[in-house]
Amino acid sequence: MVLDFYLRYSTKFGQQIYIISNHLSKSNTGSHGRIAMLYQDQDYWKVQIELPDKYDEIISYYYSVKNEDGLEIFEGEENRYIDFTGNKNKKKYTIIDTWNEAGNLNNPFFSKAFSKVLLPPISHARHREARKYTHEFRVKAPLLESHETVCLCGSTANLRNWDHENPILLNPKNNWFSTKIAFEENEWPASYKYGIYSLRDKKLVSFEEGDNRMLRSWEVQDGITLLHDGFLNYQRPLWRGTGVNIPVFSLRSSRSFGVGEFNDLKLLIDWATQAGIELIQLLPINDTSAQKNWRDSYPYAAISSFALHPLYINLEKVANKTGAHIIKSLRKKQKQLNQLPLVDYEQVMKFKLSALRELFDLQKGTLKEDVRYFEFFELNRHWLVPYAAFSYLKEKNKTTDFNSWKKYAVYDETSIQKLAASHQKHYHEIAFHYFVQFHLHLQLSEIAEYAHKHKVILKGDIPIGIYRYSCDAWVNPSLYNMNEQAGAPPDDFAATGQNWGFPTYNWNKMKEDDFKWWRTRFDQLSNYFDVFRIDHILGFFRIWSIPIDSLEGVMGRFDPAIPVHRSEFDQRNISFDHNRYCNPYIDDEIIEELFGEDAGTVMIDFLEPVEDGLYRLKSSVKNQRDALKYLSENGLLKFKDGLFQLISNVILFDVPGSNERQFHFRIGINKTSSYQKLDEETKTKLLDLYYDYYYHRQDYFWKKQAMQKLPQLKRSTRMLVCGEDLGMVPQCVPEVMRELGIISLEVERMPKQHNKTFFHPSDAHYLSVVTPSTHDTSTLREWWHENAENTQKFYNTMLGHYGEAPATCEPQIVKEIITQHLYSPSMWAIFLMQDLLAMNEAFREEDPKSERINIPADPNHYWRYRMNIPLETLIKSKEFNEQLREQIRQSGRLQEKSK
């Protein structure tokens, strides 16, 4: 059997097209499922593939184009297929395909968020097709009404001679609309168009726009021609929806236990349905119980990227009738915790874990009789057994720092399987964690199903990093750079940058198995979520990497990055002095400025003179980590900030192993006293090189880094993919996200254009989320007080009001801002729950600061915000809910059912 593939694609010189399919490459030469195509003409590429005559499988495939420099671009098509099951010895197939740009605005509608939940079901009325046929036509049309289908008309007898009253109706199958037609030999060439047909009104609604499509007169001897014609060319208003953003722990209900639980999401879904909201966005929900104190409230430091957090379990659902007495004994404590204004993380965890152990002891004898438990265990064994063993060992060793464990410090699968074997005396201590994860899975799965029944989708959050002492790092340490720390460079919110403490990713190692860890992670998340947000998507381009001996983000650099070579200083006539640029510059004036009356003490205790009135740091305080240790041990912490500034007072960082020939610029050199003490000519030339390093030379390099990871990872999931693209954003980031169809984030007060103070929601592109606030920012009410000048400018220019801005962000002002976002052309407008509630005077917290979820500049922030009203009260607030629904409806974001 011979297959001739033709792809409609106009390439540039030096490009190469590949057809990618593991099915096809089994029978043909190709690496990693790729088969090179041949240039046919300006419009087509071609390849001929031979298969056995009685081939009886379904083949799926897609295309990629590789540029001359090796950058490979993948198309966005995920549903192209050829069904050979029942094939009756057809000898020849011609397949004519249309390239599908990954960033095409139609592609998101084939994610499970839309195809399974949000869009109306496609009509499944079957239309007669020719039993014997020569051509099969396929086209995609995602935004049809439930009573509509696709039709086809054309210039020949078998295409109904443009009979508008009697077009050929197509059938939906595997995300395509298709029909089979038998052509006669004299029907070439043929022109045709697709259209939209109303099954309810039994008439053609409209033909697609643009020129007629053409079918060329290629001869097909005793064969079949299959046309994948891409998308129906029609213009309808693009789908726009509304979401609410709130961490699970922030939910409040009468049934929970001092903290929001998965079960509370049912009430949130009920409210969302009333209010016209179709998406619920959550923070990460993985187990963070590392230190067994309030610091574990930080949701981005999970001890497992797969295990759910016991914090969110509902004890009553676990107990059922058999454990009702255990729950009854906790009623008083439950009431006390529920009355607290904020989450008491330690108390909640203490009582929940204690109750869970009692319930496990009660139910462990019958657990394996539960078919659901057996299925859960087998499907999740790959992460569940290591996680349970890790949890057991961290309790036994009283630390998650596996490096300090006397036994099992280095993960060995065989040893861990023996450790977790059912005959071991401690087996039930390990199996307890299976039990907890099983019930968390049941509860969250029930919520996902409940959400779908109510036409609401759930949006999860994937942290960019992993906890340094996590099960992930223990099991696969080679996937991470354990001697580096991820963070963020200095910005308006954190003057010395951020150090998240996570190891950075060893992308080269991850690439060896096609990023299996990431694909498995996405797959796990898709059990519960329809959409996910990639936290700090910039990390797929480059990460801010801080050496392990440093503590502040200012000591980091972008990794990977093209370094500055020693020769570039000579080319720019910059006098190069390695000691001057690469070591902290310290003189009497700097010491006096930083330490004042303590300058003499600092010189004696921490510094050594070198020459010309300059000093160097003593070995005990040479780096920030050692300095902090020394200061802590000697009661000298008052010198910490000044010493850290001295240590970071450099211009260049050496590239290890480069023999002082390659360097990375320290971020913000122009703000250092080392730079300020250079002569003006050197400063000007050095700053030019600095700007080249940060804003020019890296851009295409970083694009290639992202394109090696993101396209295939995006293809590996049917979830809708969003990216948090805030911070120091390279020019290539929005370009790549648009090319790949990844939804961006636009925050009104955080414009990505440096010459603007605000971003107007009306300027958003379609594939974006607009929001006035995030969990990392202050709420609207708190922000209103942060900078009076900015508030006044916002009031006059963004809201269009004359005169002086109100002293507080009144409900009417909040409503205006919410409405402004609702009218944005973006696919999604998502709001913090606090901002939505701020439209109602009765629902507001007295102190706006108490509504804050996170303060990024504070590494010791306690994540404990709770709604100030229970969800039951919110559901009963009919007037508020109806007003919000009407607000959403008027903006065109409420998806009304067709009549």
Side-chain angles (χ1 to χ4, degrees):
M1 181 166 59
V2 176
L3 309 181
D4 282 333
F5 286 88
Y6 292 86
L7 175 67
R8 302 182 181 106
Y9 191 89
S10 180
T11 53
K12 300 176 182 176
F13 180 78
Q15 290 181 321
Q16 172 64 54
I17 298 283
Y18 295 91
I19 184 170
I20 304 176
S21 171
N22 289 330
H23 300 97
L24 296 173
S25 62
K26 290 176 185 176
S27 304
N28 297 268
T29 57
S31 60
H32 301 291
R34 286 168 171 76
I35 302 171
M37 301 186 76
L38 299 174
Y39 179 79
Q40 170 89 356
D41 56 36
Q42 187 175 352
D43 298 320
Y44 286 91
W45 283 68
K46 176 185 177 181
V47 68
Q48 187 174 88
I49 297 173
E50 293 188 13
L51 293 176
D53 286 346
K54 293 185 178 181
Y55 192 85
D56 192 34
E57 294 183 29
I58 296 176
I59 290 175
S60 60
Y61 64 100
Y62 59 100
Y63 295 97
S64 76
V65 57
K66 185 173 283 189
N67 291 336
E68 195 172 16
D69 63 359
L71 179 62
E72 189 167 19
I73 300 168
F74 300 90
E75 67 163 343
E77 186 56 66
E78 298 179 12
N79 307 113
R80 203 183 280 111
Y81 71 97
I82 312 171
D83 188 352
F84 290 114
T85 56
N87 175 38
K88 296 183 179 178
N89 293 321
K90 292 292 182 184
K91 301 294 184 183
K92 185 76 177 288
Y93 281 81
T94 301
I95 301 98
I96 304 173
D97 288 326
T98 304
W99 175 272
N100 179 352
E101 292 286 349
N104 190 297
L105 298 187
N106 287 294
N107 282 325
F109 302 116
F110 294 93
S111 68
K112 73 170 189 170
F114 285 99
S115 62
K116 300 293 184 185
V117 185
L118 295 175
L119 293 182
I122 296 172
S123 168
H124 286 285
R126 301 295 299 176
H127 312 296
R128 291 182 60 186
E129 295 177 330
R131 290 187 178 182
K132 292 184 178 181
Y133 64 97
T134 60
H135 289 68
E136 180 176 353
F137 292 79
R138 293 180 186 170
V139 72
K140 286 188 167 186
L143 291 177
L144 299 184
E145 299 288 349
S146 59
H147 60 84
E148 293 177 333
T149 190
V150 177
C151 62
L152 174 65
C153 248
S155 61
T156 72
N158 282 297
L159 289 174
R160 306 284 171 89
N161 288 318
W162 297 111
D163 183 354
H164 297 194
E165 301 297 321
N166 188 32
I168 300 164
L169 302 186
L170 277 65
N171 294 310
K173 185 179 180 182
N174 296 338
N175 292 310
W176 296 87
F177 286 88
S178 67
T179 190
K180 296 172 181 176
I181 297 174
F183 281 102
E184 306 295 334
E185 290 184 8
N186 61 354
E187 292 192 87
W188 309 104
S191 60
Y192 64 98
K193 267 191 175 183
Y194 295 102
I196 300 172
Y197 187 86
S198 172
L199 297 168
R200 181 188 61 197
D201 302 326
K202 294 182 171 49
K203 69 175 185 180
L204 177 73
V205 176
S206 67
F207 274 122
E208 63 180 335
E209 300 172 2
D211 297 334
N212 292 343
R213 300 178 187 251
M214 296 297 298
L215 196 59
R216 289 165 45 158
S217 54
W218 292 332
E219 291 185 0
V220 182
Q221 299 293 333
D222 188 29
I224 298 293
T225 299
L226 171 60
L227 297 102
H228 285 113
D229 271 334
F231 293 104
L232 191 71
N233 185 14
Y234 67 117
Q235 295 297 320
R236 284 191 170 180
L238 288 168
W239 192 100
R240 297 184 303 133
T242 312
V244 62
N245 180 4
I246 185 168
V248 176
F249 62 76
S250 298
L251 300 175
R252 183 186 290 273
S253 81
S254 60
R255 302 290 295 274
S256 56
F257 202 92
V259 68
E261 300 172 346
F262 289 151
N263 201 50
D264 293 327
L265 287 167
K266 278 190 178 181
L267 293 173
L268 185 62
I269 292 163
D270 291 341
W271 171 76
T273 304
Q274 284 188 33
I277 286 172
E278 292 146 311
L279 179 149
I280 293 172
Q281 177 174 328
L282 307 174
L283 291 186
I285 52 174
N286 296 105
D287 185 358
T288 60
S289 53
Q291 303 178 62
K292 301 187 72 174
N293 58 39
W294 64 267
R295 294 179 186 277
D296 293 339
S297 68
Y298 178 45
Y300 288 90
I303 62 169
S304 168
S305 296
F306 301 91
L308 300 173
H309 204 314
L311 181 74
Y312 302 125
I313 203 163
N314 180 271
L315 295 174
E316 198 169 349
K317 291 182 76 69
V318 178
N320 290 321
K321 292 181 180 179
T322 58
H325 62 284
I326 296 172
I327 304 304
K328 189 175 180 179
S329 68
L330 292 171
R331 290 299 186 200
K332 184 178 179 181
K333 177 53 67 174
Q334 180 183 24
K335 186 176 181 180
Q336 290 174 353
L337 291 173
N338 273 345
Q339 289 175 342
L340 295 177
L342 300 171
V343 176
D344 186 332
Y345 182 91
E346 293 175 12
Q347 285 283 307
V348 170
M349 286 297 290
K350 174 185 173 182
F351 282 94
K352 281 201 172 186
L353 289 175
S354 176
L356 284 169
R357 290 190 182 277
E358 286 189 65
L359 291 169
F360 174 65
D361 289 340
L362 195 65
Q363 299 177 18
K364 64 187 178 186
T366 58
L367 194 59
K368 286 196 173 181
E369 297 173 10
D370 191 331
V371 174
R372 298 172 306 168
Y373 173 77
F374 178 78
E375 290 177 347
F376 168 76
F377 185 87
E378 290 303 316
L379 288 172
N380 296 277
R381 170 192 291 274
H382 62 95
W383 66 263
L384 186 59
V385 174
Y387 160 76
F390 180 85
S391 299
Y392 164 72
L393 290 168
K394 80 177 174 72
E395 294 296 322
K396 186 177 180 180
N397 292 284
K398 295 181 170 47
T399 179
T400 56
D401 183 358
F402 47 85
N403 299 301
S404 65
W405 296 350
K406 292 180 180 179
K407 197 174 181 182
Y408 306 109
V410 176
Y411 177 81
D412 175 74
E413 185 175 0
T414 303
S415 298
I416 295 305
Q417 292 296 332
K418 289 179 181 178
L419 176 73
S422 58
H423 65 266
Q424 297 280 9
K425 289 181 180 180
H426 57 254
Y427 172 72
H428 288 304
E429 295 180 59
I430 290 177
F432 167 73
H433 301 286
Y434 303 156
F435 169 79
V436 174
Q437 290 301 312
F438 168 60
H439 279 284
L440 284 163
H441 165 72
L442 289 181
Q443 292 183 18
L444 188 53
S445 297
E446 184 181 339
I447 291 304
E449 185 178 348
Y450 188 82
H452 292 172
K453 284 182 180 177
H454 288 75
K455 299 295 182 184
V456 173
I457 59 174
L458 301 180
K459 180 180 179 182
D461 193 342
I462 286 194
I464 188 58
I466 65 154
Y467 185 53
R468 181 169 296 278
Y469 305 118
S470 66
C471 182
D472 302 272
W474 178 54
V475 172
N476 287 307
S478 64
L479 297 181
Y480 318 101
N481 298 313
M482 302 301 290
N483 60 341
E484 294 288 324
Q485 307 166 98
D491 56 25
D492 293 339
F493 303 99
T496 58
Q498 298 176 48
N499 182 351
W500 304 326
F502 310 140
T504 60
Y505 292 117
N506 183 348
W507 289 112
N508 291 330
K509 183 67 178 177
M510 287 183 160
K511 191 177 180 181
E512 290 177 7
D513 61 3
D514 292 326
F515 307 103
K516 181 181 177 181
W517 181 82
W518 279 98
R519 289 184 285 108
T520 307
R521 199 176 177 192
F522 289 176
D523 190 52
Q524 180 72 8
L525 198 71
S526 70
N527 289 327
Y528 317 110
F529 294 100
D530 313 288
V531 191
F532 72 96
R533 164 190 179 271
I534 301 177
D535 169 52
H536 195 68
I537 198 172
L538 306 185
F540 284 84
F541 296 76
R542 79 292 183 275
I543 197 74
W544 189 253
S545 182
I546 306 158
I548 199 68
D549 61 10
S550 296
L551 295 173
E552 292 182 327
V554 74
M555 297 299 291
R557 63 174 183 83
F558 286 123
D559 181 29
I562 302 170
V564 176
H565 196 273
R566 169 70 180 79
S567 60
E568 294 183 66
F569 292 87
D570 295 334
Q571 292 167 4
R572 293 171 180 256
N573 294 317
I574 303 171
S575 176
F576 187 84
D577 183 336
H578 181 271
N579 183 60
R580 174 67 179 83
Y581 293 149
C582 297
N583 291 317
Y585 185 80
I586 307 171
D587 64 13
D588 291 305
E589 185 180 359
I590 292 171
I591 299 168
E592 182 69 31
E593 182 181 337
L594 287 175
F595 298 100
E597 61 184 20
D598 292 318
T601 302
V602 169
M603 288 181 185
I604 295 169
D605 290 354
F606 308 126
L607 302 175
E608 297 173 346
V610 280
E611 57 184 16
D612 301 328
L614 299 178
Y615 302 84
R616 67 185 174 202
L617 294 158
K618 289 184 177 180
S619 58
S620 59
V621 292
K622 207 157 192 177
N623 62 63
Q624 291 183 337
R625 193 169 294 276
D626 287 346
L628 181 62
K629 181 182 178 183
Y630 181 85
L631 296 175
S632 300
E633 290 173 349
N634 292 279
L636 299 169
L637 283 174
K638 71 173 185 176
F639 298 117
K640 178 175 102 41
D641 290 345
L643 270 180
F644 277 22
Q645 286 190 57
L646 284 184
I647 293 167
S648 64
N649 193 31
V650 297
I651 291 174
L652 298 173
F653 297 133
D654 270 304
V655 173
S658 71
N659 295 319
E660 301 182 1
R661 303 296 295 172
Q662 293 182 331
F663 313 92
H664 295 289
F665 271 106
R666 202 216 87 161
I667 189 79
I669 60 165
N670 53 320
K671 296 179 180 179
T672 67
S673 52
S674 176
Y675 173 85
Q676 294 299 333
K677 287 179 176 287
L678 294 169
D679 64 81
E680 291 302 318
E681 183 180 359
T682 300
K683 284 162 64 175
T684 300
K685 292 178 179 179
L686 203 57
L687 202 59
D688 283 343
L689 185 56
Y690 170 87
Y691 283 129
D692 175 74
Y693 171 83
Y694 272 110
Y695 301 107
H696 299 292
R697 74 172 64 193
Q698 315 291 353
D699 212 57
Y700 188 67
F701 174 67
W702 285 338
K703 176 177 181 176
K704 290 181 70 174
Q705 298 299 313
M707 294 299 280
Q708 290 173 10
K709 311 168 191 125
L710 286 173
Q712 291 294 61
L713 288 176
K714 182 174 180 287
R715 291 190 64 87
S716 72
T717 180
R718 291 205 61 217
M719 291 184 288
L720 189 63
V721 184
C722 302
E724 185 264 303
D725 52 335
L726 304 177
M728 192 173 173
V729 183
Q731 292 181 2
C732 62
V733 172
E735 177 186 339
V736 167
M737 291 180 71
R738 291 198 188 199
E739 284 181 13
L740 299 181
I742 296 175
I743 296 172
S744 68
L745 177 62
E746 306 295 343
V747 184
E748 190 169 31
R749 70 185 93 160
M750 298 175 69
K752 292 169 184 171
Q753 290 179 283
H754 299 297
N755 60 342
K756 291 190 174 182
T757 308
F758 306 108
F759 170 83
H760 201 291
S762 64
D763 294 331
H765 62 94
Y766 178 65
L767 291 183
S768 67
V769 170
V770 294
T771 185
S773 318
T774 77
H775 70 271
D776 280 330
T777 71
S778 52
T779 60
L780 279 172
R781 293 176 62 215
E782 186 182 0
W783 172 77
W784 198 262
H785 298 283
E786 288 175 357
N787 185 314
E789 185 179 343
N790 269 356
T791 300
Q792 185 65 52
K793 185 176 181 180
F794 180 87
Y795 183 73
N796 298 139
T797 62
M798 296 293 285
L799 296 182
H801 291 299
Y802 293 103
E804 187 175 346
T808 61
C809 196
E810 300 164 353
Q812 182 56 37
I813 294 293
V814 177
K815 185 176 181 179
E816 285 185 49
I817 297 171
I818 298 293
T819 300
Q820 186 184 64
H821 284 72
L822 288 172
Y823 276 88
S824 168
S826 64
M827 177 184 280
W828 291 104
I830 300 178
F831 306 96
L832 284 182
M833 175 64 85
Q834 303 93 300
D835 285 343
L836 292 177
L837 296 181
M839 291 191 291
N840 188 307
E841 191 68 56
F843 294 159
R844 294 171 154 221
E845 294 272 13
E846 185 175 345
D847 180 8
K849 292 181 180 179
S850 65
E851 297 176 337
R852 189 73 180 255
I853 296 172
N854 179 37
I855 303 175
D858 180 6
N860 297 313
H861 179 70
Y862 192 170
W863 298 60
R864 59 191 313 206
Y865 163 73
R866 294 189 77 192
M867 291 176 61
N868 62 320
I869 59 169
L871 287 162
E872 293 93 340
T873 301
L874 188 58
I875 290 171
K876 291 176 183 176
S877 304
K878 300 297 183 184
E879 184 179 354
F880 173 75
N881 298 336
E882 288 171 6
Q883 287 175 353
L884 177 55
R885 185 181 183 88
E886 180 61 17
Q887 203 174 344
I888 294 170
R889 189 194 66 77
Q890 288 185 2
S891 72
R893 286 189 176 270
L894 190 60
Q895 315 308 316
E896 305 282 11
K897 293 181 180 179
S898 58
K899 299 178 181 178

